[in-house]
Amino acid sequence: MDLTERKLKILQAIVGDFIHSAEPVGSRTLSKKHDIGASAATIRNEMSDLEDMGYLTHPHTSAGRVPSDKAYRLYVNSLMDKYVIPEAEKKAISDQLVSKVVELDKTLSHASELLAQLTKLTSFAITPTQDENALKYINILPVDKNTAVLMIVAENDRVMNTAIRMRSSYDPKSLEMLSKILTREYKGRSINSMLAVDIINDIHREAAPLSRLAQEIEPSFRTTIENMLDVDLYINGLENIFSIPEYTDLNRARDFMDMVGHKQDLTKLLVDRDSGMIVTIGSENDPEALKECSLITATYSVNGKPVGKLGVVGPTRMNYSEITSVIEYLTENLDKAFRLP
């Protein structure tokens, strides 16, 4: 059985109506609401064919039909019209994002918050993997006579701070000198390679009087590098699911919250996804907890290099056209924000 032009038109109308109403769609509604060029009886026969082909399902309590995962896939690939973001909304998004461009981590957290607000879904952003990212500078700042803060900054402007409790007091000039030597010694080295450095020997060779200070710094230095290599996941808009009809079922809502709550598993899933705009729908997802959800991710870049992901997770009945356009625009703005002049 072929997908004729009329079948495609009916399927497009059903998916669009169901996305906006969350109610099964009947043939009489389609004949009145859409210019399909066929009677309700003909549309009903076409819908029966589409159900036989696996594109529609028929809830027992309704005479209408709802799209299957197969229908959503066809819709995303071929049938949906691209949503054009109004210029006023573009400006609002851009202004909000640019005003929050500070450290990379904080900017990503804000981008995730903004995405949750715009889509009314649960959103997320993951920080870049640091394996190949390079070190930009190291700064050791005095807090009081026995406390300092070690700041390590990567080329992508990711910042990691660690408070250090000193056994002895050091004057600010010694901390400043050690910062300059460490920066000069390691600037441009990959973050991953920093795990193998021996700052005590390197400082003893460059400035022996600072060896004791380097020895106090060394454990925190190593811990900070290890933390920097970790990928952080920011999740926003969890409360949005309670306004989505699919999650009025408390068991389903609980399952969703449990799935998102396993941050380590979710992070690995997101990191392993391909680059670019990726939409996976219902049964296409793995693990089982995502089989009733759709997951949309897009890649953002730092200095032109794809490094992290931004996206949303929610029911398969989501506004794919609008959401993909918003995510695309947000990642474009992140790319501009994180590009060196």
Side-chain angles (χ1 to χ4, degrees):
M1 195 180 300
D2 293 331
L3 273 173
T4 62
E5 185 176 344
R6 184 161 64 193
K7 282 185 173 65
L8 289 172
K9 197 170 184 179
I10 290 169
L11 189 59
Q12 183 182 36
I14 290 172
V15 174
D17 283 4
F18 186 66
I19 283 172
H20 287 98
S21 72
E23 295 291 338
V25 182
S27 56
R28 288 180 61 82
T29 300
L30 288 175
S31 66
K32 291 178 180 179
K33 188 176 178 181
H34 299 277
D35 183 18
I36 292 174
S39 66
T42 300
I43 293 172
R44 188 160 51 250
N45 289 335
E46 295 280 39
M47 289 170 68
S48 179
D49 289 345
L50 286 167
E51 186 172 2
D52 291 340
M53 296 167 74
Y55 289 102
L56 299 176
T57 60
H58 193 168
H60 297 301
T61 57
S62 171
R65 306 305 205 277
V66 300
S68 66
D69 293 349
K70 185 178 178 181
Y72 285 124
R73 171 49 60 200
L74 181 64
Y75 179 78
V76 169
N77 288 355
S78 308
L79 299 179
M80 72 179 186
D81 297 321
K82 184 174 177 61
Y83 175 75
V84 179
I85 303 174
E87 288 303 317
E89 188 175 338
K90 278 187 176 182
K91 186 176 186 308
I93 293 171
S94 182
D95 288 349
Q96 285 191 61
L97 198 57
V98 170
S99 69
K100 297 287 185 177
V101 173
V102 281
E103 297 173 4
L104 181 141
D105 292 31
K106 291 179 181 178
T107 304
L108 289 178
S109 177
H110 178 66
S112 178
E113 290 176 17
L114 188 55
L115 183 56
Q117 292 171 18
L118 293 167
T119 62
K120 304 296 188 293
L121 292 173
T122 298
S123 65
F124 51 81
I126 56 173
T127 56
T129 54
Q130 302 291 317
D131 299 41
E132 299 305 320
N133 192 37
L135 187 140
K136 188 174 185 179
Y137 67 84
I138 296 167
N139 208 354
I140 308 166
L141 306 169
V143 176
D144 56 42
K145 66 179 183 178
N146 290 109
T147 309
V149 171
L150 171 65
M151 175 189 293
I152 299 180
V153 182
E155 287 288 358
N156 66 4
D157 290 330
R158 189 175 189 196
V159 179
M160 192 66 65
N161 298 313
T162 303
I164 307 169
R165 187 69 178 171
M166 305 288 202
R167 291 187 296 272
S168 306
S169 59
Y170 294 91
D171 66 90
K173 287 186 178 179
S174 295
L175 296 175
E176 183 182 358
M177 187 178 300
L178 182 60
S179 301
K180 288 180 177 178
I181 294 171
L182 289 173
T183 298
R184 187 181 69 231
E185 188 76 16
Y186 302 131
K187 181 178 172 62
R189 295 272 296 268
S190 74
I191 299 296
N192 192 48
S193 71
M194 295 300 296
L195 289 173
V197 304
D198 186 339
I199 70 169
I200 298 172
N201 284 336
D202 291 342
I203 291 300
H204 182 76
R205 187 182 65 249
E206 291 288 324
L210 294 175
S211 295
R212 191 161 59 92
L213 177 54
Q215 195 168 2
E216 288 218 44
I217 296 294
E218 198 275 340
S220 295
F221 182 88
R222 185 167 299 277
T223 299
T224 306
I225 291 294
E226 289 173 350
N227 291 339
M228 205 162 196
L229 285 166
D230 289 340
V231 173
D232 289 331
L233 172 66
Y234 300 101
I235 299 176
N236 293 94
L238 277 171
E239 69 283 357
N240 287 338
I241 71 161
F242 297 111
S243 61
I244 297 173
E246 284 83 346
Y247 296 106
T248 53
D249 179 339
L250 291 180
N251 288 327
R252 188 171 179 184
R254 191 182 301 113
D255 289 344
F256 180 87
M257 298 290 280
D258 185 59
M259 180 268 296
V260 176
H262 285 79
K263 293 183 77 169
Q264 189 172 358
D265 294 339
L266 184 57
T267 299
K268 185 180 185 309
L269 172 70
L270 298 174
V271 168
D272 290 345
R273 278 168 76 89
D274 291 337
S275 295
M277 180 74 72
I278 305 295
V279 180
T280 49
I281 300 166
S283 56
E284 299 171 357
N285 285 306
D286 198 24
E288 192 66 31
L290 278 170
K291 295 295 186 185
E292 293 186 342
C293 299
S294 283
L295 182 61
I296 303 179
T297 55
T299 310
Y300 66 86
S301 299
V302 173
N303 296 332
K305 180 182 177 183
V307 290
K309 295 187 179 73
L310 182 76
V312 298
V313 61
T316 54
R317 185 195 61 83
M318 63 169 65
N319 192 332
Y320 294 96
S321 177
E322 184 171 340
I323 291 167
T324 53
S325 291
V326 169
I327 293 175
E328 182 179 59
Y329 189 69
L330 269 174
T331 53
E332 286 173 0
N333 276 268
L334 284 174
D335 293 351
K336 291 175 186 175
F338 296 141
R339 185 178 293 274
L340 290 175

